[in-house]
Amino acid sequence: MMVVETSSPFLTSLVAGGTAGLVVDVTVYPLDTLKTRLQGKEGFRLLGGFNNLFKGIGPVVVGSVPHAALFFCTYDSVKALSEKMSLKGSDTLVHMGAASLGEVVACVVGVPVEVVKQRRQVSNMSSGKIVQRIWNGEGGRGFYRGYLSTLSREVPFSLIQMPLWELFKEEWSRVVERNLRSEESAVCGSMGGVVAAVITNPLDVVKTRIMLAEGEMGPRQVLRNICQEEGPGSLFAGVVPRTVWIAVGGLIFFGVYEEVKLVF
């Protein structure tokens, strides 16, 4: 009987990351919709309240697999490369660098999906009409509205979450003196995500306002407008659903990721 060779690490990261991304994005999508509507300038009720919480999920289904797959392919590849080159230094710095580069690559797909998704969440236009309107009004660059502000949120988020995930796994494994199971790794990822979610929420609010705006607005202008017109407290709008979304999503995401990796 012929034994099938295990898949390459790159393919494992591709499949595991893509699967985890799709499962978690669909599962916790209503919380993401609530978060977006709470952060919008027009107010929660005017932007849809608790109605149609799965509005805009189409672009997410299309984009979540390549987005998450690109992140983990990059993240795991950088980690593997650092081990192969026997780079000396803190593991935390390696994880931070891998996470940052992973977000830069993944956002090439993630930002256009996010722009269409968030506009769909707060309007009655179909995703197709939103895409057409962006293309006719702003061209291809319109799909990358808020790219830098998204990176300014995603990179710090991953700089916090991923090293904490790795650290919590390492410490937990040391205590129990064995490799962690998938669900235990998922708890570690969820805890890291909660910390990162609270710290980076102001960046998420700024990113959301830029993506929902019809005209050109820079991060500094948006930040200044929020603080002057609504007060600094508005920078933490949507922090509860966002934190719950990331906590639950982290459990699912890292759990599915680790389980799929076992299959390969």
Side-chain angles (χ1 to χ4, degrees), residues 130-157:
I130 290 173
V131 169
Q132 185 177 19
R133 183 173 181 178
I134 293 173
W135 180 259
N136 291 338
E138 305 172 66
R141 61 180 296 185
F143 293 101
Y144 286 92
R145 172 189 288 273
Y147 181 79
L148 293 179
S149 62
T150 301
L151 283 182
S152 71
R153 179 201 67 175
E154 295 293 348
V155 170
F157 182 90

Side-chain angles (χ1 to χ4, degrees), residues 17-18 45 47 68 70-71 128 153 170 179 182 187 193-194 196 212 216 226 257:
R45 290 187 177 181
L47 292 177
L70 283 173
F71 173 80
R153 179 201 67 175
E170 181 181 341
N179 292 329
S182 298
V187 171
V194 167
L212 294 180
E216 290 289 337
I226 291 173
Y257 175 73

Side-chain angles (χ1 to χ4, degrees), residues 24-53:
V24 72
D25 284 346
V26 172
T27 304
V28 300
Y29 188 81
L31 290 172
D32 181 49
T33 301
L34 290 175
K35 183 269 300 183
T36 299
R37 292 173 179 175
L38 283 167
Q39 291 178 345
K41 184 177 181 179
E42 293 82 354
F44 180 68
R45 290 187 177 181
L46 288 178
L47 292 177
F50 290 99
N51 298 319
N52 300 322
L53 295 180

Side-chain angles (χ1 to χ4, degrees), residues 47-178:
L47 292 177
F50 290 99
N51 298 319
N52 300 322
L53 295 180
F54 279 95
K55 181 185 288 187
I57 197 171
V60 172
V61 171
V62 173
S64 61
V65 172
H67 179 258
L70 283 173
F71 173 80
F72 267 109
C73 283
T74 306
Y75 180 76
D76 289 336
S77 294
V78 171
K79 285 175 55 181
L81 182 62
S82 68
E83 293 174 2
K84 186 176 181 180
M85 296 176 65
S86 300
L87 296 179
K88 294 182 180 180
S90 169
D91 287 342
T92 299
L93 291 178
V94 172
H95 298 151
M96 292 172 72
S100 299
L101 186 57
E103 289 296 354
V104 171
V105 174
C107 279
V108 172
V109 172
V111 170
V113 171
E114 189 78 359
V115 170
V116 176
K117 179 202 74 176
Q118 291 201 321
R119 293 191 183 189
R120 180 74 180 99
Q121 287 174 325
V122 299
S123 74
N124 292 320
M125 295 176 64
S126 68
S127 297
K129 288 184 178 179
I130 290 173
V131 169
Q132 185 177 19
R133 183 173 181 178
I134 293 173
W135 180 259
N136 291 338
E138 305 172 66
R141 61 180 296 185
F143 293 101
Y144 286 92
R145 172 189 288 273
Y147 181 79
L148 293 179
S149 62
T150 301
L151 283 182
S152 71
R153 179 201 67 175
E154 295 293 348
V155 170
F157 182 90
S158 289
L159 281 175
I160 298 169
Q161 183 187 37
M162 300 306 287
L164 284 179
W165 175 49
E166 302 281 6
L167 177 63
F168 291 157
K169 286 195 300 178
E170 181 181 341
E171 293 301 320
W172 193 341
S173 181
R174 182 180 294 117
V175 171
V176 298
E177 299 181 340
R178 59 171 172 78

